[in-house]
Amino acid sequence: MIIDPEYCEFDPASQRLTVSMAQAPGQGGFEVRLRSWNEGGGVELKEGGRWIRNDDAFDYPIVSDDVFELEPTHPVRAYHDALPADVTKVLGQFSSLQCRLLHVVGQFPESAEMAGSAPILFWLASNMLGPAPSRADVRKLYSRRRVSILEMFSVNSSRSHLKFLSKIRDFSYLREDLDLLRRMLLDDEFLKKVRHSRHINWPVLKVFLNQRYVMALACAKGCLTAENCRDAFRFLGKVCVYIRDIRMMCRTTERAYPENEICAMKSAFQIKNLHDRIAEEINRKDRAAIIARYGEDLPPSPLKDTKDIKHICKVGDLLDEGMEMKHCVGGYVDRVMGGDVFIYRVHAPERATMEVHRLPDGKFRIEQVKLYRNGKVSKVTWDVLNGWIKTR
């Protein structure tokens, strides 16, 4: 968020930035002053006509792409331009507490090395400083051994935490990441499973943390060290979809989920083969048992058909659709019976199968559309189907 120029003023002589939000709606009427680089940075809050140091009083970005794109005459941009380039480079890594970090670097320039080599420790340490840290406070904290800083933060003497964190790459410095980190530090079992990886890619690690079963998959562990996040996400996304569908098909046919077999598989291709085999069995062998269990009728859809988009309203027709299109939609019976998922047979612009969800607010969303053998539909088909659902 950028502060509008009418609420701030930059003094070229003192190189301070004053921000007055007294007239800004919903801001509580505070007035703060960002001290200059020559003064060691830091924030002063105006209370009772006096300026009192309080770095917690201001947490707007002073270094970001948005700030750099402002006109040079904008007070925030002018304050940014008065800072040394190497300092703005350090601050630009972080999306919060930049003024506190500016004071850290100003009081203890050696801390910039930590900001480059172990940025998460640099950021965490600043959270342990008071609202008006002195030069002595900063030096005392940032001159400690890094393992000691982390131990202070986590209130835990395990050195494995530091070894683990030192290998994280691509940390995004969002506030929710800090909450995630705290949960990880308290999860000893999870740390035991990942701490011996040579490198760890933080965004990919979040997939493992949020979907714990992925950690047990032999084919997925290599993604922890992936250089390319996009490739890792695609791979993990594909594997997770296969496993989700296998679970769903097992529920539909009341068979045991083959967890041990899946965890031992060394490739996504093996999991896909298992997925396709179960889908084939559902479409051909389990038809009578499924119809006997669920009945013949699926819940009616409130969305009207067209000549090219037809709702599948019979269990047998849903199984036929899976057999004809060579995918696992026949295993969706259990999900469709809930009444908020609807499957459609699409005849044009391409022959496809479409899954539509009813959302909690009553609106509808196209969840997925697949061609024969789970092929991807064209943009033209997506445009037609999105146009159809918007008019329902």
Side-chain angles (χ1 to χ4, degrees):
M1 177 178 177
I2 299 297
I3 301 174
D4 292 334
E6 58 264 33
Y7 300 120
C8 48
E9 180 182 359
F10 178 71
D11 180 5
S14 66
Q15 294 191 331
R16 294 171 178 167
L17 176 70
T18 302
V19 179
S20 178
M21 306 298 281
Q23 305 302 321
Q27 296 296 329
F30 69 87
E31 186 173 6
V32 298
R33 185 168 66 188
L34 278 61
R35 301 199 306 175
S36 70
W37 168 251
N38 291 332
E39 294 174 301
V43 178
E44 296 174 328
L45 175 66
K46 195 169 189 179
E47 292 184 343
R50 298 175 55 223
W51 291 103
I52 301 172
R53 274 293 311 282
N54 188 344
D55 288 349
D56 294 331
F58 186 85
D59 193 20
Y60 288 76
I62 55 177
V63 177
S64 69
D65 291 341
D66 290 338
V67 171
F68 189 73
E69 289 175 0
L70 295 172
E71 293 293 329
T73 54
H74 192 293
V76 176
R77 171 66 188 276
Y79 183 81
H80 165 280
D81 291 348
L83 300 174
D86 57 339
V87 174
T88 59
K89 184 178 180 181
V90 170
L91 300 183
Q93 299 179 88
F94 308 95
S95 61
S96 62
L97 302 182
Q98 289 185 353
C99 290
R100 181 185 291 277
L101 298 175
L102 175 64
H103 180 65
V104 168
V105 177
Q107 300 302 313
F108 190 50
E110 294 89 340
S111 65
E113 186 276 327
M114 182 188 293
S117 62
I120 189 171
L121 285 177
F122 176 75
W123 193 90
L124 289 177
S126 73
N127 283 264
M128 293 187 283
L129 293 169
S134 65
R135 180 186 297 269
D137 293 333
V138 175
R139 285 182 171 272
K140 182 178 180 181
L141 176 60
Y142 278 85
S143 60
R144 297 175 71 103
R145 294 172 59 241
R146 297 184 184 190
V147 66
S148 176
I149 294 175
L150 187 59
E151 286 172 357
M152 289 173 62
F153 173 78
S154 61
V155 196
N156 191 311
S157 61
S158 173
R159 291 173 179 264
S160 64
H161 291 166
L162 178 64
K163 294 177 182 177
F164 170 71
L165 292 173
S166 67
K167 298 167 186 172
I168 293 177
R169 297 196 305 269
D170 298 329
F171 187 76
S172 58
Y173 307 107
L174 300 177
R175 291 183 179 181
E176 53 264 38
D177 288 334
L178 182 58
D179 293 332
L180 189 63
L181 172 64
R182 286 172 175 156
R183 294 201 303 272
M184 289 165 56
L185 291 176
L186 296 174
D187 191 339
D188 292 334
E189 289 303 314
F190 185 76
L191 285 173
K192 288 177 183 178
K193 293 178 180 178
V194 300
R195 68 183 180 187
H196 297 301
S197 297
R198 184 175 179 182
H199 297 289
I200 292 179
N201 189 308
W202 175 265
V204 175
L205 181 63
K206 288 196 283 189
V207 176
F208 283 78
L209 186 63
N210 293 330
Q211 297 173 259
R212 296 301 179 93
Y213 70 89
V214 176
M215 181 59 72
L217 302 177
C219 69
K221 292 179 180 177
C223 290
L224 269 178
T225 63
E227 292 287 347
N228 188 312
C229 284
R230 190 173 182 181
D231 290 345
F233 289 148
R234 284 179 175 175
F235 179 86
L236 291 172
K238 186 184 301 182
V239 169
C240 290
V241 168
Y242 288 148
I243 291 177
R244 181 203 67 186
D245 287 350
I246 290 172
R247 290 182 187 275
M248 184 172 52
M249 290 188 289
C250 288
R251 286 198 303 270
T252 297
T253 57
E254 296 186 294
R255 69 176 71 191
Y257 172 65
E259 181 175 4
N260 292 336
E261 181 181 357
I262 290 174
C263 289
M265 290 178 173
K266 299 295 181 64
S267 70
F269 184 73
Q270 289 178 298
I271 298 178
K272 179 183 182 301
N273 281 346
L274 175 62
H275 168 279
D276 294 348
R277 187 167 71 248
I278 295 175
E280 181 71 15
E281 290 176 2
I282 286 177
N283 294 333
R284 293 188 180 277
K285 298 180 181 180
D286 298 327
R287 182 187 188 92
I290 292 173
I291 294 176
R293 180 184 177 191
Y294 291 98
E296 295 185 355
D297 297 324
L298 296 172
S301 170
L303 304 178
K304 294 182 179 179
D305 292 355
T306 70
K307 66 182 181 64
D308 294 321
I309 304 173
K310 302 292 184 182
H311 175 236
I312 298 176
C313 57
K314 298 289 185 181
V315 172
D317 292 340
L318 188 62
L319 297 172
D320 289 341
E321 180 74 1
M323 186 161 56
E324 178 184 338
M325 298 297 287
K326 299 295 183 184
H327 52 46
C328 66
V329 76
Y332 281 44
V333 177
D334 189 76
R335 177 187 291 188
V336 173
M337 279 297 180
D340 289 319
V341 176
F342 309 96
I343 307 298
Y344 283 81
R345 182 181 289 119
V346 179
H347 294 283
E350 299 173 278
R351 179 67 179 92
T353 306
M354 175 173 61
E355 179 183 352
V356 175
H357 285 197
R358 175 162 42 201
L359 304 177
D361 61 4
K363 296 180 180 179
F364 294 87
R365 178 184 68 202
I366 298 175
E367 187 69 16
Q368 60 177 331
V369 186
K370 295 296 183 181
L371 301 178
Y372 181 77
R373 292 190 180 277
N374 286 314
K376 293 183 179 180
V377 298
S378 65
K379 183 179 183 301
V380 172
T381 298
W382 267 113
D383 290 343
V384 168
L385 296 177
N386 281 325
W388 166 79
I389 203 166
K390 287 177 181 178
T391 61
R392 298 303 100 183

